[in-house]
Amino acid sequence: MSGKERLLVRGAQGDLLRLVATGHAESRAQLARLSGLAASSVSLRVEELIGTGLLVEEGSGSSSGGRRPRRLRLSPAAGLLAVADLGAHHARFGLLDLSGTPLVVEERPCDIARGPEETLDWMAASFEELLRTHGLPGVPLRGVATGIPGPVDPASGRVVSPSRMPGWNNFPVAEHLGAHFDLPVLVENDANLMAVGEARSWPECANLMVLKAGSGIGCGVIVDGRLHRGRGSAGDISHVRVRTDSSTMCSCGHPDCLEAYASGAALMGALSELGIAVDRPSDVVALVEDGVPEATALVRNAGRLIGEVLTVLVNFLNPDAIVIGGSLSTAEPLIASIRAAVYERCLPLATRDLEIAVTRGGPDAALLGAGSLLLDAVLS
């Protein structure tokens, strides 16, 4: 089983290691150019990183003229990151190397309504099992991260007023997991993690809105290539009030929130009232694919409502792309209705080059985002 060890790399060394880990640099010359450090300083710090077993130098990198430089990369023994994407009824676990490459990914059923202590203890045990089964001998665990399907205070790692998560309000998630591992722990909203992971797959786009449509509805925002957190709830569109012919009370206590009509949980509830039982949002998608008219109509209406909320944000932010992920994202009527609402109601200049597309990162986008942010936490 892998051990647990803090990565004692700080300052300039950490900056150089991050540049190599993220793929921005693969030679000493590139490190000097991107870091602004003198070539002699870079060479000294690189030798120190090689000496501690965090970097290796091998083969030949790309050349812009002259001798081909030696290629730097992370050592396979540099460490592992344990990451999770916690949902209402399942959790996705991964072990990543420090460059963010998944070594193993597993999905396991869970019930977030069991409360934070039981859920987080189960999560810690699942991480330990993954490390025993798939960890590499002698390669230490360097940090732990999890996505939470609710608002998270980035300063404290506490969940704040989540919907459909009884007992989680103000619970110290980071502190609880830290007691298990005594390592850097990152706790972040799941849509934010998805946004960071998707940004890796959209290098041509500096500004992204990433919608997670699953049991709930969330949105992560990337501005100038960086996650925009605000005070912790930036992009939370789930409780924006929408216009409808009827009135439905949301779990937050206010009427007519977007989540009360367009989330997977809301669609499942509406289908249940029609006598059509479903267990998870993916079952709603399956009904749409089978041509069940009640499901198709509900999903189409959900897409229209989501699109109307996004219209305001598109006019305000002018993103390069809206990316839609989550278990409902494979329902074509949902995507079509979102596109129709946004393109119809937004200013022409805001939509002229706007792309509205499904996820490129797929179901692992949040895990990739967790790895990216966790590496920053480990090195800071």
Side-chain angles (χ1 to χ4, degrees):
M1 174 181 164
S2 302
K4 303 177 182 70
E5 183 179 336
R6 289 181 178 268
L7 189 58
L8 301 179
V9 178
R10 298 292 184 269
Q13 274 193 343
D15 294 338
L16 298 179
L17 188 65
R18 185 184 292 105
L19 287 170
V20 175
T22 56
H24 289 98
E26 64 172 18
S27 70
R28 301 181 189 217
Q30 289 175 338
L31 286 173
R33 186 175 69 253
L34 293 173
S35 68
L37 296 173
S40 57
S41 296
V42 168
S43 184
L44 174 63
R45 287 170 172 80
V46 166
E47 290 297 336
E48 291 171 347
L49 289 168
I50 291 174
T52 57
L54 296 175
L55 286 182
V56 293
E57 196 170 29
E58 60 186 20
S60 296
S62 57
S63 173
S64 57
R67 189 175 63 183
R68 294 169 66 87
R70 298 269 287 170
R71 178 175 177 266
L72 290 166
R73 67 178 181 86
L74 283 177
S75 168
L80 296 172
L81 303 174
V83 297
D85 181 19
L86 180 63
H89 303 293
H90 72 276
R92 202 165 178 85
F93 292 91
L95 291 181
L96 317 181
D97 64 21
L98 293 192
S99 68
T101 301
L103 304 178
V104 61
V105 173
E106 290 186 6
E107 188 169 301
R108 303 184 179 193
C110 73
D111 183 2
I112 205 169
R114 291 181 179 272
E117 290 97 340
E118 183 174 343
T119 301
L120 294 174
D121 289 344
W122 168 78
M123 178 183 290
S126 296
F127 280 142
E128 296 282 8
E129 182 183 340
L130 278 181
L131 288 166
R132 284 194 300 270
T133 307
H134 301 285
L136 304 175
V139 180
L141 180 67
R142 301 291 193 178
V144 175
T146 184
I148 299 289
V152 175
D153 179 357
S156 65
R158 290 174 178 259
V159 183
V160 181
S161 300
S163 299
R164 298 186 305 277
M165 294 175 65
W168 285 80
N169 182 46
N170 207 36
F171 188 84
V173 176
E175 183 179 323
H176 192 88
L177 286 175
H180 281 280
F181 294 99
D182 191 26
L183 289 169
V185 174
L186 174 80
V187 181
E188 184 57 86
N189 171 261
D190 57 353
N192 282 350
L193 292 185
M194 178 180 284
V196 174
E198 281 295 333
R200 294 175 39 153
S201 301
W202 295 78
E204 73 277 20
C205 295
N207 302 297
L208 288 173
M209 288 167 48
V210 180
L211 178 78
K212 182 173 184 180
S215 294
I217 292 180
C219 185
V221 182
I222 302 293
V223 178
D224 291 334
R226 300 180 65 85
L227 176 65
H228 177 65
R229 289 189 178 93
R231 292 192 177 95
S233 61
D236 188 349
I237 65 173
S238 55
H239 300 293
V240 174
R241 190 166 188 171
V242 295
R243 295 181 295 108
T244 64
D245 296 332
S246 59
S247 184
T248 298
M249 190 63 65
C250 180
S251 59
C252 72
H254 293 289
D256 301 335
C257 293
L258 177 65
E259 184 160 303
Y261 293 95
S263 66
L267 296 176
M268 292 165 60
L271 286 170
S272 178
E273 291 179 1
L274 296 173
I276 304 174
V278 288
D279 296 324
R280 55 187 64 85
S282 58
D283 294 338
V284 178
V285 177
L287 292 176
V288 172
E289 292 173 345
D290 287 340
V292 176
E294 295 88 349
T296 303
L298 286 168
V299 166
R300 185 175 290 118
N301 183 62
R304 178 185 63 80
L305 294 173
I306 293 170
E308 289 179 355
V309 171
L310 292 179
T311 295
V312 179
L313 303 179
V314 168
N315 280 332
F316 180 79
L317 182 63
N318 286 192
D320 301 309
I322 296 173
V323 182
I324 304 163
S327 52
L328 293 178
S329 64
T330 55
E332 183 54 37
L334 182 88
I335 308 301
S337 296
I338 291 174
R339 287 187 179 123
V342 170
Y343 288 133
E344 178 186 354
R345 300 294 300 274
C346 284
L347 296 171
L349 185 58
T351 57
R352 185 172 61 191
D353 299 313
L354 174 68
E355 185 170 358
I356 301 176
V358 296
T359 170
R360 289 179 183 174
D364 293 338
L367 297 184
L368 299 178
S372 178
L373 294 180
L374 181 56
L375 180 63
D376 287 340
V378 166
L379 295 176
S380 65

